[in-house]
Amino acid sequence: MFEINNRRYTGSKAKLSTWILDKISKNCSGEIFADIFAGTGIVGSEASFKYPKIILNDLLFSNEIIYKAFFINANVDEKKLNIFVEKFNSIDPQKISDNYFSLNFGGKYFEYDDAKKIGKIREIIEIEKSNLSEKEYAVLISSLLYSVDKIANTVGHYDAYFKKNKMRSLFVYKLINYTPRNSEFFIHRRDANELAANIYADIVYIDPPYNSRQYSRFYHLLETLTKWDKPELYGVALKPTPENMSEYCRATAKEQFIDLIKRINCRYIVVSYNNTYNSKSKSSKNKITLDDIKNELSKIGKTKVSHMSHRCFNAGKTNFDDHKEFLFITEVGAFDE
Ligand SMILES: C[S@@+](CC[C@H](N)C(=O)[O-])C[C@H]1O[C@@H](n2cnc3c(N)ncnc32)[C@H](O)[C@@H]1O
């Protein structure tokens, strides 16, 4: 079974979540924890072992369905799901016709027969939707997303695929771990600034994108597979027309951040920041500086900062000198005498 961290995702805090939660529990108190740029959901997932109420939010459809699969607090019909797994893994690509997925992505992001199977599976899940609970439907789609990620012919996102002459069929459909947690989850798919005005949380964790790379463009293929709206695709990377573009990836990022921390109703604001700036790539340059974050948070309340060198959690593999991960913790409304 796939666990929540068994996927590739740019900026995932999978290797840092224990450190982050440790700092949070030493410096903050409360019951409601919000992860409002949740990405994989790994930080919210880790928080659910400490806090009884968890709010998860992200702009992407594929992330929202993954949160529902892992965290909706309901039982599923295990037998029914296992019958689907058997059925999906016994699909013979020679006996089925082409579909949206194989026609667009076959021989590119996936080996041709694998793409045919993936498209067919997605088609079956949609046909069966009325016979599935919300959680079961989410589990079947999320399991497809995780299984697809394991074999995609990419570096982990869908900005490009490797050009290969020969590809092997590798696809296996496996379920995600759908065991319910004890905490209560509230799942949203909204712009974080809009959501902020409408929720209360004791602790709000903020981990936005800091450069111009749009997540909805990186993960367009997972979005298309989730929504199954079969859009027209463009360019070599086969992307649909843009949607869910984040203001945090644009020149106005700093204003967005200031607006967010002003409107959010909470006791503690926790912000992740890293200096992944690579001088060769303009798109990787951060739109908000470390000083901006420090200055703006200090206006809201007493702010502490911790950092960790990437060498500590990346086994020494980093191209950047002095590449650090920062964690700011602000006690809202508290100031030193
Ligand atoms: C750096 S990633 C978060 C990674 C996450 N902490 C993890 O461990 O996987 C930033 C996330 O913010 C989301 N995002 C970008 N702009 C957003 C916005 N305005 N509102 C909500 N989510 C947004 C992206 O889709 C992306 O998943």
Side-chain angles (χ1 to χ4, degrees), residues 9-14 35-43 57-60 63 67 190-193 205 207-210 214-216 245-249 256:
Y9 198 75
T10 302
S12 156
K13 294 288 186 272
D35 184 0
I36 60 173
F37 296 85
T40 57
I42 188 77
V43 175
N57 177 63
D58 197 277
L59 273 184
L60 301 195
N63 289 338
Y67 311 151
R190 292 181 70 179
D191 171 70
N193 287 50
Y205 175 65
D207 184 22
Y210 285 108
Q214 291 279 356
Y215 278 79
S216 62
M245 302 294 270
S246 173
E247 291 301 318
Y248 285 82
C249 303
Q256 285 293 312

Side-chain angles (χ1 to χ4, degrees), residues 2-8 12 14 40 42 70 146 150:
F2 289 115
E3 298 301 331
I4 195 156
N5 60 341
N6 294 152
R7 69 180 284 214
R8 298 176 292 171
S12 156
T40 57
I42 188 77
F70 280 98
Y146 272 71
K150 279 284 161 279

Side-chain angles (χ1 to χ4, degrees), residues 17-131:
S17 56
T18 310
W19 175 69
I20 292 170
L21 262 301
D22 191 47
K23 292 278 167 209
I24 294 175
S25 52
K26 283 189 179 126
N27 290 285
C28 316
S29 58
E31 306 232 300
I32 311 174
F33 183 98
D35 184 0
I36 60 173
F37 296 85
T40 57
I42 188 77
V43 175
S45 167
E46 197 78 15
S48 74
F49 298 112
K50 297 190 170 172
Y51 304 97
K53 288 189 177 162
I54 308 289
I55 299 170
L56 287 174
N57 177 63
D58 197 277
L59 273 184
L60 301 195
F61 290 90
S62 47
N63 289 338
E64 180 195 28
I65 201 131
I66 286 170
Y67 311 151
K68 287 184 174 173
F70 280 98
F71 302 124
I72 285 184
N73 214 321
N75 290 317
V76 296
D77 182 341
E78 224 171 298
K79 214 165 140 199
K80 180 161 76 176
L81 292 185
N82 287 329
I83 292 172
F84 276 111
V85 175
E86 231 169 88
K87 180 173 174 179
F88 293 162
N89 283 324
S90 59
I91 291 172
D92 179 350
Q94 307 313 322
K95 293 193 179 144
I96 56 171
S97 43
D98 262 310
N99 53 56
Y100 174 85
F101 210 79
S102 60
L103 291 172
N104 284 299
F105 304 122
K108 292 169 179 157
Y109 284 105
F110 306 94
E111 190 271 334
Y112 206 89
D113 283 348
D114 279 355
K116 239 173 156 185
K117 278 195 230 171
I118 295 164
K120 178 72 179 171
I121 292 170
R122 184 64 191 86
E123 212 56 85
I124 296 174
I125 299 173
E126 211 50 34
I127 292 166
E128 294 289 336
K129 190 171 180 180
S130 59
N131 301 319

Side-chain angles (χ1 to χ4, degrees), residues 123-149:
E123 212 56 85
I124 296 174
I125 299 173
E126 211 50 34
I127 292 166
E128 294 289 336
K129 190 171 180 180
S130 59
N131 301 319
L132 300 164
S133 70
E134 189 186 15
K135 173 140 175 153
E136 287 167 348
Y137 178 74
V139 167
L140 289 181
I141 291 182
S142 301
S143 302
L144 185 59
L145 298 175
Y146 272 71
S147 302
V148 156
D149 174 59

